[in-house]
Amino acid sequence: MFASTRNDAISALGFIFALVFLLPQDKLVPSYKALAIASFTLGAFMGMKVTNVVYILGFAAAVLVVMPTWRTRIQAASICAVFGFIGILLFGGPWAWYLWQELGNPVFPMANGIFHAPLGPELSFRDTRYLPSGIVQGLIYPVHFLFDGSLINEENFFDPRFQMTYFGAPVIALLSLLQMQKRKAETLRPVIAVSIGLLVAILAWLFMFSIERYMAAAWLLGPSFLACLMCLLWPKLLQHRKALVPTIAVCTLICMTTQSGPIRRTAWDTAGQAYIQMDLPREFDFEHSIVIFSGSYPSAFIAPAFPKSALLTHAVVQPWSAKALDNYRPLIRSAIWESERSLYAAITDTGTHLAKTLGRLGAEEHLLGDVKSCKPAVTNFDTDGIGWVICPLIRGETHPD
């Protein structure tokens, strides 16, 4: 489910890494050094990808819960804010500065309703395809997408680990709070903090994105939350000599019921091996050409294979994202039509997508191509049903409006 071209699992591991610092070791309250390291890590991941803001919100909630007094909460929040901002600045600052200098928006094309970059959309832009219609639907959304994974993902899948976290977290927090009040057991505060942190992150994700990969941590931690809940309900379970039997049974059930969608995964065999490997078709000369990444599926990850003299751009994207390019599209068309460079389209070949994309290039951009002239760009993500091809294009007789 996670080892694919969409490596959001790495961000999820950063969030889990940060939460580990909230768990007790030699003392119940995390040190300010631990909070600084955790916050810097999360800031770094948000700097690299803004959608990781949901993990920032979850961690912030967890920190406020784990600290015992308002004084320590204010101190902890201040330290987290400073070191989190440093992480954002170091890992996202250079790219944000580049976007600001070139386009006038450090997160272009998002948040353009605030920055009003002339080449960006008139209003703030984000992917809203998977969002629930309201608060009530959002709260019960996890029940729906358990049985229809296409509600939050391009491909359908069945994986109950998210629901283990979503329903387990509030129950664990409530049971732990009751036990802490009954027995004055401060040792349960970190358990409550982590549970609340996950719940806040999930709720933020539900109403901001509801895109599966942006909350990979909830799936990764599901079995852990289930195990924690079982131990709270049956404290003697870990001490029972037959505890291994139900543990194996639950693990087997999880493995049997998990059915991940086909999302372009591949193995990473050695640390020194390039994660993405590709070979362009030798029949074409890409020097000083224009390469147009086209269609509804990702192909721009093969960009590093093209020579630096090539001009890289895109066209006929998915309808939901097309509105973000309304003001930018004239520049793309000018680069294509006011040049004599040879043209190529990079397209994902899956089912009828190749022919449809070439049809759209002709109808919308007046760029003509033939499926028979396309050649495969071999990558290590190729599967029986998915591959990537390069198609030569020619300019039509008329310029698109």
Side-chain angles (χ1 to χ4, degrees):
M1 176 176 179
F2 300 112
S4 75
T5 53
R6 299 179 282 190
N7 284 304
D8 297 86
I10 298 175
S11 303
L13 291 177
F15 178 51
I16 295 171
F17 171 82
L19 291 177
V20 168
F21 283 98
L22 302 183
L23 301 178
Q25 295 180 8
D26 56 342
K27 53 184 178 181
L28 293 178
V29 178
S31 67
Y32 290 148
K33 178 181 178 181
L35 292 176
I37 295 173
S39 301
F40 177 83
T41 301
L42 285 179
F45 280 111
M46 183 175 170
M48 290 185 281
K49 189 167 186 177
V50 180
T51 56
N52 289 321
V53 65
V54 294
Y55 293 139
I56 297 281
L57 297 174
F59 183 74
V63 169
L64 293 177
V65 173
V66 80
M67 305 307 288
T69 65
W70 281 109
R71 176 174 163 274
T72 56
R73 287 168 188 155
I74 294 173
Q75 292 174 340
S78 301
I79 290 173
C80 291
V82 170
F83 282 89
F85 179 75
I86 292 174
I88 294 173
L89 195 62
L90 288 178
F91 285 82
W95 179 241
W97 177 250
Y98 174 82
L99 291 177
W100 174 259
Q101 292 289 98
E102 295 292 325
L103 300 168
N105 180 346
V107 290
F108 185 89
M110 278 72 73
N112 209 53
I114 299 174
F115 296 101
H116 304 292
L119 295 181
E122 300 300 327
L123 302 175
S124 294
F125 168 79
R126 63 183 171 129
D127 187 353
T128 59
R129 289 175 297 167
Y130 302 105
L131 287 177
S133 60
I135 295 178
V136 175
Q137 186 188 17
L139 293 176
I140 63 175
Y141 211 42
V143 177
H144 293 167
F145 68 66
L146 171 62
F147 301 100
D148 184 5
S150 62
L151 291 174
I152 59 169
N153 190 47
E154 292 178 0
E155 302 285 349
N156 187 27
F157 70 99
F158 182 85
D159 190 333
R161 290 177 293 169
F162 179 97
Q163 287 69 24
M164 295 176 190
T165 301
Y166 182 66
F167 294 109
V171 176
I172 289 172
L174 180 60
L175 291 177
S176 299
L177 180 62
L178 293 175
Q179 290 190 26
M180 191 175 74
Q181 292 179 341
K182 182 179 180 180
R183 298 187 290 124
K184 303 297 182 181
E186 285 294 317
T187 54
L188 291 173
R189 183 180 291 274
V191 177
I192 300 173
V194 171
S195 300
I196 294 297
L198 258 295
L199 192 59
V200 169
I202 288 174
L203 291 175
W205 168 80
L206 276 171
F207 296 104
M208 292 176 67
F209 304 113
S210 283
I211 297 174
E212 173 264 328
R213 61 187 184 275
Y214 294 169
M215 188 38 64
W219 277 272
L220 289 169
L221 289 175
S224 298
F225 271 86
L226 178 60
C228 183
L229 180 59
M230 292 175 66
C231 291
L232 281 172
L233 293 174
W234 301 287
K236 297 182 179 180
L237 180 64
L238 291 179
Q239 302 173 359
H240 199 284
R241 60 189 180 89
K242 294 183 179 180
L244 185 61
V245 175
T247 301
I248 294 177
V250 171
C251 291
T252 302
L253 182 62
I254 292 173
C255 292
M256 292 178 63
T257 56
T258 298
Q259 300 172 3
S260 300
I263 51 175
R264 297 175 286 279
R265 65 179 55 80
T266 190
W268 195 357
D269 298 325
T270 63
Q273 171 188 336
Y275 182 59
I276 296 175
Q277 303 169 47
M278 64 213 104
D279 293 309
L280 297 177
R282 297 183 179 181
E283 294 91 337
F284 304 139
D285 181 11
F286 298 104
E287 291 289 347
H288 303 286
S289 66
I290 297 179
V291 180
I292 307 171
F293 300 103
S294 308
S296 301
Y297 295 97
S299 57
F301 73 95
I302 65 175
F306 293 97
K308 292 183 178 181
S309 64
L311 176 64
L312 309 180
T313 185
H314 54 277
V316 294
V317 296
Q318 295 192 52
W320 71 266
S321 63
K323 58 185 178 181
L325 299 172
D326 285 345
N327 297 328
Y328 193 80
R329 191 171 290 107
L331 273 70
I332 298 175
R333 288 173 171 169
S334 295
I336 292 173
W337 286 85
E338 295 177 7
S339 168
E340 296 183 355
R341 296 188 184 204
S342 55
L343 302 177
Y344 297 96
I347 304 172
T348 307
D349 184 10
T350 169
T352 60
H353 179 252
L354 174 58
K356 288 182 179 179
T357 301
L358 287 175
R360 289 183 62 195
L361 282 168
E364 299 175 28
E365 300 298 330
H366 299 185
L367 302 175
L368 309 178
D370 187 350
V371 172
K372 296 179 181 178
S373 64
C374 301
K375 302 296 180 183
V378 180
T379 79
N380 59 327
F381 283 93
D382 293 357
T383 64
D384 292 338
I386 300 177
W388 284 265
V389 298
I390 308 297
C391 304
L393 301 174
I394 60 172
R395 297 169 180 85
E397 295 182 357
T398 58
H399 188 289
D401 295 331

